[in-house]
Amino acid sequence: MEPVRIGILGLGTVGGGTVALLRRNAESLRRRLGRPLEVTRVAVQDPDKPRPADLSGIDLTTDAEGVCTDPDIDIVVELVGGVDNAEPLVRAALGHGKPVVTANKALLAERGNELFRFAGEKGVDLAFEAAVAGGIPIIKALREGLAGNRIQSVHAIANGTANYILSRMRTQGLEFEEALAEAQDLGYAEADPTFDVDGIDAAHKLALVAAVAFGTPINYDALHMEGIRAVTGEDIQFAAEMGYRIKLLAITRPAVDDGVEIRVHPALVPESAMLAGVEGVFNAVEVVGDAVGPTLYYGPGAGAEPTASAVVGDLVDVARTLGAPPEYRVPYLGFHAEGMREPRWAPIEEVETEYYLRLQAKDQPGVLAQVTRILAEEGISIEAIRQKEPLPGEEDVPVVLLTHTTRERAIRKALAAIDRLDVITGPSQMIRLEEVGTG
Ligand code: HSE
């Protein structure tokens, strides 16, 4: 059988892993597909740079657009990253009738609706398993395996770097900056860690997951996003003393009143929760379906061959349906175009959950009475309250509270009032507490 000819744009970590994996597993892939998958051209910025991958028989070029328009290429794999530089390349390939496999979460989170529409007009595939949670096949699970369900919630640890930092803060008693420096030394975090630690990378992934879970257009702008910079070693320690761990979670679920919640933020999870056991750079996604109940998908969220595993999985799918009419393929986001609905994206103030609060207070009589009065006025019920020892060299004391389930609007209003009290000496901390599955 004729080989399926693949052009790859970008030969960084994932590109190199993809070439290596296609070579190493060539025979088993041929058995699965009935045809060989063959990388014939790769576009790179610097063709003279030494590469770890075996590139024999591959045409290395600096002309990325030429790969996208080459009539001898059947499928284009976009691994250059970025939004403005990648979009024209993806459009060029789709415009020339070539399916595209991409790992580019930022591109799809921000321009995905237009790109899927364009791919649809051209009648070609645009596959993106590698864009979400690296090697975990969560897009396929949500789009196909769980298609019989109405999705009730998705809670994901979708950024390995942030998870590594929080894990090290807990196990080694580090502060955020120390754990970040360690993650940078190990090559997990970039010199500019913004995407990972401010929640942007997890948010890009969540925007795609929500669309696939609920059959909505991708709406990155609807997302509420908070990163992990404000989580202190104290918070992690206090949470642990109460039986919780702090994770950066990407969450989407039907909203309490109406619509869909979509949010990325640090959250307390019980230490008995399955997600609490996900440590280091690993990712995990917990999906609850109305029929199946809770399911958990765990694995490496980054890295050369784990991400290449997702790219090659997509290549097999796309190669199987090359030239087939679009109605024979799974829709890009898993829902028929006529079944897609823009929901009401619920604002964060409508979220109902439990809350961890840490206040910095003067150590004098009546402080707790003032705090609890304000919480009571907002109808917030307290589950636990503890005054901690002052930090060395400080007179103020941390006061930690856990609330029962309440509305975020009420918590915000109460905290604003608490922070205005004379006896409160620093800004208060608020971290949501999420109900997730226990093992
Ligand atoms: N930088 C990401 C992470 C991997 O730390 O999980 C790529 O999205």
Side-chain angles (χ1 to χ4, degrees):
M1 287 286 279
E2 288 290 300
V4 178
R5 298 158 303 178
I6 296 162
I8 299 182
L9 313 178
L11 198 56
T13 307
V14 181
T18 301
V19 171
L21 185 59
L22 284 168
R23 294 230 148 145
R24 194 175 71 245
N25 291 347
E27 176 53 17
S28 92
L29 288 164
R30 193 192 58 73
R31 286 178 57 213
R32 288 180 187 275
L33 193 58
R35 295 171 70 179
L37 283 171
E38 200 175 297
V39 180
T40 54
R41 293 187 79 188
V42 175
V44 293
Q45 273 182 335
D46 176 5
D48 297 324
K49 192 170 156 184
R51 312 275 173 182
D54 170 14
L55 301 177
S56 52
I58 297 175
D59 173 28
L60 269 196
T61 173
T62 52
D63 180 12
E65 189 165 346
V67 174
C68 298
T69 57
D70 183 342
D72 292 328
I73 294 288
D74 299 307
I75 305 174
V76 170
V77 180
E78 183 276 302
L79 300 171
V80 293
V83 175
D84 289 333
N85 50 330
E87 184 183 2
L89 296 172
V90 170
R91 280 187 178 274
L94 297 171
H96 279 76
K98 294 180 205 311
V100 173
V101 172
T102 180
N104 193 332
K105 62 224 74 169
L107 175 67
L108 293 183
E110 291 178 25
R111 314 256 168 96
N113 294 324
E114 297 81 354
L115 287 172
F116 287 123
R117 196 174 308 122
F118 186 57
E121 284 163 18
K122 298 293 167 188
V124 291
D125 235 334
L126 174 51
F128 59 99
E129 184 65 73
V132 181
I136 305 174
I138 187 62
I139 297 301
K140 206 171 182 70
L142 279 166
R143 212 172 58 162
E144 294 159 62
L146 298 176
N149 292 259
R150 275 182 298 116
I151 301 301
Q152 297 184 318
S153 65
V154 180
H155 288 85
I157 294 175
N159 185 272
T161 304
N163 200 51
Y164 176 85
I165 290 171
L166 292 172
S167 298
R168 296 293 290 176
M169 287 174 73
R170 184 180 71 81
T171 58
Q172 307 303 308
L174 303 179
E175 283 300 333
F176 168 79
E177 292 295 345
E178 297 168 306
L180 169 61
E182 202 184 85
Q184 285 169 323
D185 284 347
L186 289 168
Y188 299 143
E190 313 268 336
D192 174 3
T194 306
F195 267 55
D196 291 323
V197 303
D198 292 333
I200 300 167
D201 175 75
H204 284 149
K205 294 165 182 166
L206 182 63
L208 303 179
V209 163
V212 174
F214 297 111
T216 72
I218 298 161
N219 195 330
Y220 178 69
D221 295 333
L223 235 141
H224 175 85
M225 181 168 70
E226 295 167 29
I228 61 167
R229 287 185 203 261
V231 176
T232 65
E234 246 190 335
D235 292 322
I236 290 184
Q237 183 197 325
F238 294 161
E241 287 168 11
M242 294 184 294
Y244 295 92
R245 293 197 184 159
I246 298 180
K247 296 287 179 190
L248 181 66
L249 291 188
I251 302 166
T252 185
R253 63 180 190 185
V256 179
D257 295 334
D258 173 36
V260 175
E261 293 177 7
I262 182 165
R263 48 196 170 97
V264 170
H265 53 71
L268 269 69
V269 294
E271 63 190 5
S272 58
M274 295 185 287
L275 286 177
V278 177
E279 295 281 43
V281 290
F282 276 83
N283 283 192
V285 189
E286 182 179 296
V287 183
V288 180
D290 66 338
V292 71
T295 62
L296 183 74
Y297 309 85
Y298 169 83
E305 289 216 358
T307 312
S309 161
V311 169
V312 174
D314 273 351
L315 279 171
V316 171
D317 275 355
V318 171
R320 275 196 185 116
T321 54
L322 266 181
E327 58 271 28
Y328 288 93
R329 296 198 294 262
V330 182
Y332 306 117
L333 298 173
F335 284 68
H336 192 279
E338 285 169 18
M340 302 279 283
R341 305 263 186 278
E342 182 79 48
R344 174 177 178 273
W345 299 99
I348 192 72
E349 290 78 9
E350 290 181 14
V351 164
E352 278 188 6
T353 188
E354 296 168 37
Y355 291 84
Y356 158 98
L357 306 177
R358 176 175 49 77
L359 319 175
Q360 189 179 317
K362 288 186 183 158
D363 191 9
Q364 64 186 47
V367 173
L368 293 186
Q370 292 184 61
V371 168
T372 52
R373 180 182 50 77
I374 290 173
L375 292 170
E377 278 168 7
E378 293 305 325
I380 299 164
S381 160
I382 299 166
E383 184 182 314
I385 185 164
R386 280 188 206 178
Q387 181 175 319
K388 302 286 180 181
E389 290 300 312
L391 288 181
E394 288 190 20
E395 287 181 7
D396 301 335
V397 287
V399 175
V400 174
L401 293 104
L402 285 186
T403 74
H404 284 294
T405 300
T406 187
R407 274 247 155 163
E408 176 124 353
R409 185 176 289 116
I411 281 285
R412 288 180 177 228
K413 210 168 151 207
L415 274 184
I418 287 170
D419 280 351
R420 283 195 297 270
L421 292 173
D422 288 345
V423 292
I424 297 296
T425 54
S428 301
Q429 170 71 295
M430 177 270 272
I431 306 179
R432 300 168 193 90
L433 195 157
E434 289 295 323
E435 207 174 294
V436 288
T438 47

